Amino acid sequence: MTSSAAASPSSPSAISGSAPGLPVLAEVVRSGFVEGHHRGSLVVLAADGSVEMSLGDPSAPVFPRSSNKPMQAAAVLRAGLDLSGERLALAAASHSGEGFHLDLVRKMLAEHGLTPDDLQTPADLPLDPVEAEAYLAAGHVRERITMNCSGKHAAMLAACLHNGWDTATYLDPAHPLQQLVHQVVEEAAGEPVTAVGTDGCGAPLMALSLVGLARAFRTFVTAEPDTAERRVADAMRAHPEYVAGTRRPDTWLMREVPGTLSKMGAEAVQAVALADGRALAFKIDDGSARALGPVLARALGLLGVDAPVVSRIGRAPLLGGSAEVGEIRAAF
C-alpha cells in the first residue's frame, strides 16, 4: 500500500498491512532458544458482550476469512433455503475433504439438480494433509468439490435456485444473495463492514474488527432458537465433524466443550463463543496457522475453560530429526 489517502473506505486497499508494535502472541522455541515470534491482536468478551481483555489492536479491520462462514450460512437460511443438521453444518464448513464431507456435498447438489461442475470454487486438494495424500495416491486430481468451501457454495447455489436468482453470478458482491450476506454480517457484528474483498474460494469477503467478529459469534450462541443465527450455531455444535474434520481443533473443541461455537479462518484467524456468551477472536498478523493452537489454548484458559481438549489444541511441537526439540508456545 503506497498511499492510504487514495484508498476508498470500502476498498480492500484501505486495510493496512502488518501494524507496527503488535504484541507477541506466540514464540517459537527450539532447543531452548527463542528463534521466532508471531505477533497479533486478540480480544476477549465477557458474557454481557463487554470487552474484558484486549491485546494489540482488535478494533482494526481484518478479513475474518472462513470465520465469516456462520454468517454466510445464516444468510442462506434467511434466503429461504431449508437446511438443517449435517447439511447446515456443512454450509458453514471449511471441511477437510474426508469421504463423508464429499459424499454430502454431492447429495446437496443432486437434491437441487446441480452437479459439481456448477460450483465456482477453484479446483483444489482436500484441506487435511492426510486426506490429500490418500486422494493423490488414489490417482485423483484437484477438483472443485474437494475445495474446503464446496459445502458453502453448494448451499449458496441452492439458495439461488430457491429464489430464482442467477446462479452464474452468485459470487458477485452485487448479487442478491451476497447483499444478504453483507446485511447478516453487519447485524451480527454490530458494526459496518469496512471493506469487501474476494476470499480464496472466490466468494465476497467482508472485513470486520476482531471485536465485531467476537460479537458476531456471541450473537449466534445467544440468539433465540428459531432464528437463522441460532439454527446455524446449533447445527455446527451438533455436527462439528462436518464443520471441520476428524483431525481438526474446531471439531475437537465443539465436541468436547458443550455449547461452544468455534471456527477458524485462513491467515490465522480464530473466533470462539462459549455457551454463556463469553467470546474471543484473534488474528496472527503474519498469517501463520502454526500459532493458532497455542494462542487459542491460552485464550481459552483465560476464559476458564479447563477441559483436556485445551491442552491437546495447544500442543505445537517442533522436531529436530525425529525427536521433539521445542515448541510453539503462547507468550501472553
Side-chain angles (χ1 to χ4, degrees):
M1 180 173 167
T2 58
S3 173
S4 60
S8 164
S10 61
S11 163
S13 63
I15 300 179
S16 63
S18 179
L22 289 179
V24 174
L25 297 186
E27 55 189 13
V28 184
V29 184
R30 180 178 295 276
S31 304
F33 181 84
V34 178
E35 66 172 345
H37 304 88
H38 295 291
R39 298 177 180 272
S41 297
L42 176 147
V43 66
V44 174
L45 302 184
D48 64 1
S50 62
V51 174
E52 186 171 275
M53 172 186 172
S54 67
L55 295 172
D57 189 5
S59 64
V62 302
F63 278 140
R65 304 296 297 271
S66 285
S67 294
N68 270 351
K69 281 179 176 171
M71 285 82 91
Q72 292 168 318
V76 164
L77 293 182
R78 287 205 197 176
L81 187 65
D82 186 16
L83 283 182
S84 61
E86 294 92 337
R87 285 165 172 76
L88 183 52
L90 193 60
S94 299
H95 66 70
S96 290
E98 296 175 67
F100 65 92
H101 295 131
L102 304 183
D103 287 346
L104 187 54
V105 176
R106 291 188 182 95
K107 288 178 182 177
M108 289 171 64
L109 291 168
E111 286 164 356
H112 297 278
L114 298 162
T115 74
D117 290 337
D118 293 303
L119 297 169
Q120 292 184 26
T121 47
D124 205 353
L125 297 173
L127 183 62
D128 185 290
V130 174
E131 297 301 321
E133 288 184 9
Y135 184 81
L136 291 171
H140 298 302
V141 297
R142 295 172 185 267
E143 295 181 78
R144 293 179 179 180
I145 196 170
T146 50
M147 199 271 170
N148 71 87
C149 302
S150 62
K152 177 182 80 175
H153 282 245
M156 285 182 170
L157 282 166
C160 291
L161 290 174
H162 176 78
N163 287 279
W165 295 334
D166 183 40
T167 56
T169 59
Y170 76 97
L171 298 183
D172 188 323
H175 190 282
L177 177 61
Q178 302 304 336
Q179 289 293 298
L180 185 54
V181 171
H182 194 289
Q183 176 184 336
V184 172
V185 169
E186 291 190 330
E187 290 178 1
E191 66 182 41
V193 165
T194 53
V196 177
T198 304
D199 210 341
C201 68
L205 176 62
M206 288 76 178
L208 296 171
S209 72
L210 290 172
V211 175
L213 181 60
R215 189 185 298 122
F217 271 60
R218 179 183 179 277
T219 296
F220 272 61
V221 300
T222 60
E224 293 298 319
D226 59 345
T227 61
E229 290 78 10
R230 181 64 176 274
R231 288 171 60 193
V232 171
D234 287 349
M236 292 174 67
R237 294 181 291 187
H239 306 282
E241 68 279 5
Y242 281 90
V243 177
T246 55
R247 290 175 285 270
R248 302 268 298 284
D250 281 333
T251 297
W252 304 338
L253 185 58
M254 287 190 283
R255 180 182 292 152
E256 298 182 37
V257 181
T260 298
L261 182 68
S262 179
K263 186 72 191 72
M264 57 77 68
E267 292 298 312
V269 177
Q270 180 76 51
V272 175
L274 303 181
D276 63 3
R278 289 177 295 157
L280 67 90
F282 66 85
K283 175 172 169 49
I284 308 300
D285 193 55
D286 63 12
S288 179
R290 69 179 183 171
L292 278 175
V295 173
L296 175 57
R298 175 60 176 154
L300 290 169
L302 293 174
L303 283 173
V305 179
D306 187 26
V309 69
V310 175
S311 295
R312 183 182 182 191
I313 288 171
R315 265 190 57 76
L318 296 178
L319 301 181
S322 58
E324 186 174 325
V325 299
E327 64 178 338
I328 299 167
R329 66 189 183 195
F332 61 96

